[in-house]
Amino acid sequence: MKKVSLAVMALLLVIVAVLAACSKEKQDAQSSASPAPSASGASPAPAADIAFPLAAPITLNIFASKNAAVKKDFKEMLAFKNLQQKTNVTVNWRLATAGDESNQKQSLLIASNDLPDAFYGAWVFSEAEIIKYGTEGILIPLEDLIKKHAPNLQKVFQQRPELEKKLRAPDGHIYTLPMVQEDPHANMPNTMLINKKWLDNLNLKMPTTIEEFREVLLAFKNGDPNKNGKKDEIPFSFIGKGHHILGFSGFTGVFGKVVAGPLKNLSVTNGKVEYAPVTEEFKQFLTYMNGLYKDGLIDPEAFTHDNNVYYAKFRNKERIVGAGFAWSPFGINQVPDADGDYVTLPPMKGPGGKDPLWYMWEPTHSLGAFAITKVNKYPEITMKWIDQMYDPLTSYEMAFGPKDVTFKQTAGGKYESIPVPSGMTANDFLYGEAPGANFVGAVLKEFRSQFAVDAATQSKIDAVKITLPYAPKEIYPALIMSGEDSNKLTDFNMAVETNQISWIAKFIMNGNIDKEWNDYVKTFQQAGMDQAVALYQKYYDSYKK
């Protein structure tokens, strides 16, 4: 019986070996005959040797978060038609307007496991979502694909090594690709303006300290600087609801700490992170502003009017505003009767002659602008396809429209914008053939330097030359944090946002700052300020290593 069993076992082993060999021959034959079929029924290029245009087309299904100004389907846009012709990759786009609509549809797709091959669009994923969906396996790690198939993006990383550091999740993986739009003059969005004609009419000098500024505002109030015989002057106006361009963000730095709020009001000095709205420097700012308000020097509607009303006051033919904030003087003076009344007011010295700071932010970028999902059958080709958008010229075309449509190259080799056609709005022109603000790619300042400078840009360049010497030495960067930590910080910022605006308005208009300061600080502490600052510090320390 024992001998029979051994014989049978030997025979079975032979049969298994033969079947395995036959199976391998069949698989090898199938593999050498053709690669896996594409979504269009044809065969894609081998992943290890991708060359565009592909010999046979493939189709990708991509969910895209689009700007509200976009009216066309992406497939009808010239920018994407050009890309399809170049790559032989067809895209079935599923579009949703950025904001609530995009967030809801994206969440529904993920919850129902109805995943696209990729997600596209600046800010399509928040930092918390990157971690959540990456660690859950919904988004695949991209670092190896980048090394093999993304030479354009690798060049961006070489130029901006800090960008690759920011994209790394705490587990070491890169789950998303960025959108970067560098404007060498846009990092300081807040320009303080003063009516130069009023100064001249009253024989006043440009103020260089906050004490001199107060005296100038008093003269504006009482001296009829617009010479119309009316008491219609508004010495100082702004948008008081935390606006980073039309608000007082930059002016807070004159007192030593920039409060750019209400979200992520972080001040960094010698590596130490502070929550700026509760610092002694900000208390001094509020006290100073309350003094101006009590003397009737601040627009009584500063905390209630909207942007349109604010601009209308500056552009009034009678010229009724003395000082305020804007993107640049051009943003205020660009009216039919423009006469250059408003000029940049250099940052003034603070209390006791303290050197000022001025509000500066990072270049515009989104860390969660593109991701490849686990259902994608062609991750290598998808990476090679999206990498085309990190070519400098292609990036610019995706952001601002195709070459020879919205901009052109001059005989001298420079680029210049093409004027908006008559009867078309600027948005219709910009977003007609490209995704615009929600594009994926990297427009770096080196490429933008090849463009001719128009009047609006020159105005901003001149303004930034004045404020740039006062930029903070350290700025808290956008960082990818763990899902749990990111949620804690989001909860904190949401809890304090409304409170901060209301407290600031109350302090500036009503005073009682010394009496109520401790209660003000407690609102932040009760919302978790100390824990939030500790988390911000932890990630900043890790980033700086």
Side-chain angles (χ1 to χ4, degrees):
M1 187 69 176
K2 196 173 188 178
K3 290 181 180 179
V4 174
S5 297
L6 290 173
V8 170
M9 288 178 65
L11 179 60
L12 288 172
L13 288 172
V14 171
I15 293 172
V16 169
V18 172
L19 289 173
C22 292
S23 176
K24 186 176 186 305
E25 286 180 16
K26 184 176 180 180
Q27 289 175 355
D28 290 344
Q30 289 176 338
S31 178
S32 61
S34 63
S38 71
S40 63
S43 300
D49 186 26
I50 300 170
F52 287 145
L54 298 176
I58 69 161
T59 298
L60 296 174
N61 295 305
I62 299 180
F63 173 88
S65 175
K66 71 178 184 69
N67 191 277
V70 170
K71 298 175 182 177
K72 279 185 178 180
D73 191 306
F74 280 4
K75 68 182 179 183
E76 297 173 358
M77 289 182 168
L78 182 59
F80 286 114
K81 286 182 178 179
N82 291 342
L83 188 62
Q84 180 178 355
Q85 185 176 14
K86 179 180 179 180
T87 63
N88 209 10
V89 174
T90 300
V91 177
N92 288 331
W93 293 101
R94 301 165 73 171
L95 302 179
T97 302
D100 290 342
E101 180 186 341
S102 175
N103 294 340
Q104 291 169 5
K105 289 186 177 181
Q106 172 191 300
S107 298
L108 182 60
L109 289 175
I110 293 173
S112 62
N113 204 30
D114 182 21
L115 294 174
D117 293 315
F119 287 92
Y120 172 103
W123 301 285
V124 69
F125 288 115
S126 68
E127 284 84 354
E129 290 171 332
I130 293 170
I131 298 297
K132 174 178 172 59
Y133 298 135
T135 54
E136 289 178 357
I138 293 169
L139 309 180
I140 66 171
L142 302 177
E143 57 271 10
D144 291 339
L145 293 172
I146 292 170
K147 290 178 182 177
K148 295 177 182 177
H149 304 293
N152 290 318
L153 181 56
Q154 288 182 65
K155 288 179 183 177
V156 173
F157 287 166
Q158 289 170 5
Q159 292 173 280
R160 302 291 184 272
E162 71 280 3
L163 182 61
E164 184 175 5
K165 282 182 67 175
K166 292 177 186 177
L167 287 167
R168 292 274 178 184
D171 63 6
H173 289 304
I174 294 176
Y175 293 109
T176 55
L177 303 185
M179 178 281 286
V180 180
Q181 187 180 153
E182 293 182 352
D183 183 334
H185 323 296
N187 291 13
M188 304 189 92
N190 188 231
T191 302
M192 194 168 189
L193 305 177
I194 194 165
N195 193 319
K196 181 64 165 58
K197 185 172 286 187
W198 283 16
L199 291 175
D200 295 340
N201 287 345
L202 299 176
N203 196 29
L204 299 170
K205 294 180 180 179
M206 188 77 73
T208 60
T209 69
I210 57 170
E211 292 82 10
E212 291 176 356
F213 182 59
R214 183 179 180 280
E215 294 303 315
V216 164
L217 295 182
L218 282 168
F220 284 173
K221 177 186 177 183
N222 300 316
D224 190 24
N226 61 6
K227 296 185 177 300
N228 65 356
K230 303 175 186 176
K231 274 281 189 179
D232 57 352
E233 287 85 2
I234 301 172
F236 187 23
S237 190
F238 48 82
I239 296 291
K241 299 176 182 177
H243 200 290
H244 62 280
I245 295 175
L246 307 179
F248 47 66
S249 296
F251 193 43
T252 64
V254 172
F255 294 79
K257 301 287 183 186
V258 176
V259 177
L263 297 183
K264 207 170 75 172
N265 290 294
L266 303 177
S267 174
V268 187
T269 306
N270 296 324
K272 181 183 178 183
V273 179
E274 292 181 278
Y275 197 67
V278 300
T279 58
E280 182 62 27
E281 289 87 349
F282 189 57
K283 184 180 179 182
Q284 292 176 358
F285 164 78
L286 294 172
T287 301
Y288 176 82
M289 294 290 280
N290 173 244
L292 298 183
Y293 193 89
K294 285 193 298 186
D295 288 340
L297 305 180
I298 289 178
D299 187 345
E301 296 181 336
F303 291 94
T304 56
H305 59 194
D306 62 17
N307 296 8
N308 291 330
V309 173
Y310 175 77
Y311 276 123
K313 291 173 181 177
F314 271 91
R315 294 170 178 171
N316 187 299
K317 291 183 179 181
E318 298 282 350
R319 287 296 191 263
I320 61 173
V321 180
F325 303 92
W327 176 257
S328 71
F330 185 88
I332 293 295
N333 294 326
Q334 189 188 13
V335 288
D337 63 338
D339 50 14
D341 287 353
Y342 295 98
V343 300
T344 301
L345 173 58
M348 298 168 281
K349 287 187 178 294
K354 180 184 294 185
D355 289 332
L357 298 174
W358 202 256
Y359 175 37
M360 186 175 189
W361 61 6
E362 290 188 298
T364 301
H365 66 266
S366 163
L367 299 180
F370 187 82
I372 299 174
T373 73
K374 64 181 180 180
V375 303
N376 190 313
K377 296 179 181 178
Y378 314 105
E380 295 89 354
I381 294 176
T382 303
M383 178 59 71
K384 185 78 172 180
W385 175 82
I386 195 66
D387 185 61
Q388 307 308 299
M389 299 190 201
Y390 290 95
D391 167 77
L393 178 59
T394 304
S395 287
Y396 193 88
E397 290 182 308
M398 290 294 173
F400 299 103
K403 184 172 176 284
D404 299 324
V405 175
T406 60
F407 69 99
K408 62 184 179 181
Q409 195 163 17
T410 66
K414 286 269 188 179
Y415 293 107
E416 64 180 19
S417 298
I418 295 174
V420 178
S422 178
M424 182 181 287
T425 68
N427 271 351
D428 287 344
F429 187 50
L430 175 63
Y431 292 94
E433 300 295 345
N438 290 72
F439 81 106
V440 176
V443 178
L444 303 185
K445 62 183 180 182
E446 289 85 353
F447 184 81
R448 294 191 75 132
S449 67
Q450 301 178 50
F451 277 74
V453 176
D454 57 19
T457 303
Q458 188 61 55
S459 177
K460 186 62 179 176
I461 290 173
D462 293 341
V464 170
K465 283 181 181 177
I466 294 172
T467 54
L468 188 59
Y470 305 97
K473 293 181 179 180
E474 296 178 85
I475 303 171
Y476 199 94
L479 300 172
I480 294 178
M481 304 176 179
S482 75
E484 181 181 358
D485 290 344
S486 182
N487 288 336
K488 289 178 181 177
L489 294 173
T490 298
D491 290 344
F492 167 71
N493 285 321
M494 290 179 65
V496 301
E497 179 175 3
T498 303
N499 278 333
Q500 184 179 334
I501 293 173
S502 61
W503 271 108
I504 289 173
K506 185 170 69 169
F507 280 152
I508 290 177
M509 292 190 291
N510 300 334
N512 295 320
I513 299 170
D514 285 330
K515 183 178 178 180
E516 299 183 19
W517 184 255
N518 289 339
D519 291 335
Y520 164 74
V521 173
K522 283 180 182 177
T523 62
F524 295 97
Q525 291 174 331
Q526 290 169 353
M529 178 185 67
D530 294 338
Q531 296 89 334
V533 170
L535 285 176
Y536 281 125
Q537 185 73 62
K538 180 182 77 170
Y539 282 96
Y540 187 74
D541 291 344
S542 178
Y543 169 71
K544 295 298 287 185
K545 286 181 181 178

